């Protein structure tokens, strides 16, 4: 069996914001009911958005959609466990009785040898290794950008615009364009000597635009 195709970050963001057509929403809902990884990613995205909105009221229709997806996942999980428990006695009866002739010393803390533990539907992405699950505090950069995510560094807030993290305090000024600094160059080291805080801002991402001391600096990766 091949690996399951997962929902794109843009699709998950549009699903949360009620930006899909009725057909696309039905397809996404059906996939979420079968795919634990995509449900985890959607949950992480919802938690990240909830933290940013600081308790702001959400669209009730979106909340209902999330509750419906969770209910479908619970039903599928229950159905899978019932099927596994129903099959367990027949599988044990048909299996060779090798354990009677070759006893195995149990390891303390292990479940009983005849206990059947069934993987819930969607726990594996295919015939290979278990699908990885993102931590609750992690959201992919694409989803972070789509949801208006931000990163904090030394009291400043940066938001992803295209491929660049931009300081909220920065304002475009034709009279004072940003000073370009390339990591690893002599100019970069000289700028760090004068403004050590640039090193902390550079950790926000590969490309960073930061405002400092009435100037602005565009920090770029080394060539």
């Amino acid at each position: 069996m091949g690996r399951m195709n997962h929902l794109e970050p843009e699709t998950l963001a549009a699903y949360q914001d009620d930006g899909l057509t009725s057909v696309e929403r039905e397809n996404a809902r059906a996939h979420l009911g079968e795919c634990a990884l995509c449900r985890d990613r959607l949950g992480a995205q919802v938690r990240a958005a909830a933290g940013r909105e600081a308790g702001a009221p959400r669209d009730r229709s979106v909340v209902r959609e999330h509750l419906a997806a969770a209910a479908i996942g619970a039903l599928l999980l229950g159905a899978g466990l019932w099927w596994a428990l129903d099959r367990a006695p027949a599988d044990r009866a048909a299996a060779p009785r090798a354990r009677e002739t070759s006893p195995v010393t149990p390891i303390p803390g292990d479940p009983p040898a005849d206990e059947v533990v069934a993987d819930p539907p969607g726990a594996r992405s295919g015939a290979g290794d278990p699908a990885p699950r993102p931590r609750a505090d992690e959201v992919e950069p694409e989803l972070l950008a789509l949801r208006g995510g931000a990163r904090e560094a030394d009291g400043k807030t940066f938001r992803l615009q295209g491929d660049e993290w931009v300081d909220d305090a920065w304002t475009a000024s034709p009279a004072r364009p940003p000073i370009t600094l390339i990591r690893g160059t002599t100019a970069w080291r000289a700028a760090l000597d004068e403004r050590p805080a640039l090193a902390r801002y550079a950790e926000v991402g590969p490309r960073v635009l930061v405002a400092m001391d009435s100037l602005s600096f565009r920090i770029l990766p080394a060539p």
Side-chain angles (χ1 to χ4, degrees):
M1 180 181 296
R3 292 184 178 272
M4 178 181 294
N5 292 326
H6 298 295
L7 296 177
E8 296 294 333
E10 294 83 358
T11 302
L12 285 174
Y15 181 88
Q16 182 182 351
D17 292 338
D18 199 19
L20 299 176
T21 65
S22 58
V23 174
E24 291 172 340
R25 177 167 289 279
E26 288 299 323
N27 291 338
R29 185 186 296 116
H31 179 85
L32 288 169
E34 298 176 358
C35 181
L37 175 60
C38 286
R39 288 197 302 274
D40 287 342
R41 294 170 64 198
L42 178 61
Q45 175 179 316
V46 171
R47 289 189 291 275
R52 287 192 302 274
E53 292 169 2
R58 296 181 56 82
D59 186 356
R60 292 183 179 179
S61 64
V62 176
V63 175
R64 286 196 296 269
E65 293 292 346
H66 294 162
L67 292 176
I72 292 173
L75 288 174
L76 290 173
L77 175 61
L81 290 174
W82 175 86
W83 178 86
L85 293 174
D86 184 63
R87 287 290 303 276
D91 291 342
R92 288 198 298 269
R97 302 182 63 83
R99 285 174 294 181
E100 296 181 1
T101 58
S102 301
V104 177
T105 302
I107 299 175
D110 278 0
D114 59 349
E115 182 177 339
V116 177
V117 180
D119 286 338
R124 292 178 179 268
S125 59
D129 297 333
R133 295 173 178 269
R135 298 202 313 265
D137 60 344
E138 284 187 345
V139 182
E140 290 145 334
E142 296 85 354
L143 286 176
L144 194 65
L146 290 169
R147 300 296 305 140
R151 289 181 178 176
E152 304 290 334
D154 201 19
K156 284 183 172 291
T157 301
F158 296 82
R159 301 184 189 278
L160 189 61
Q161 297 182 15
D163 62 348
E164 186 174 53
W165 290 92
V166 179
D167 183 359
D168 277 355
W170 177 76
T171 302
S173 173
R176 285 192 172 183
I179 299 171
T180 299
L181 297 174
I182 301 176
R183 291 175 173 87
T185 62
T186 302
W188 167 248
R189 289 190 291 269
L192 288 180
D193 291 339
E194 185 176 354
R195 296 178 173 84
L198 285 171
R200 294 191 292 273
Y201 301 140
E203 294 176 356
V204 172
R207 301 173 64 92
V208 179
L209 180 57
V210 59
M212 292 182 64
D213 305 329
S214 73
L215 299 175
S216 60
F217 300 90
R218 173 168 278 120
I219 305 172
L220 303 179

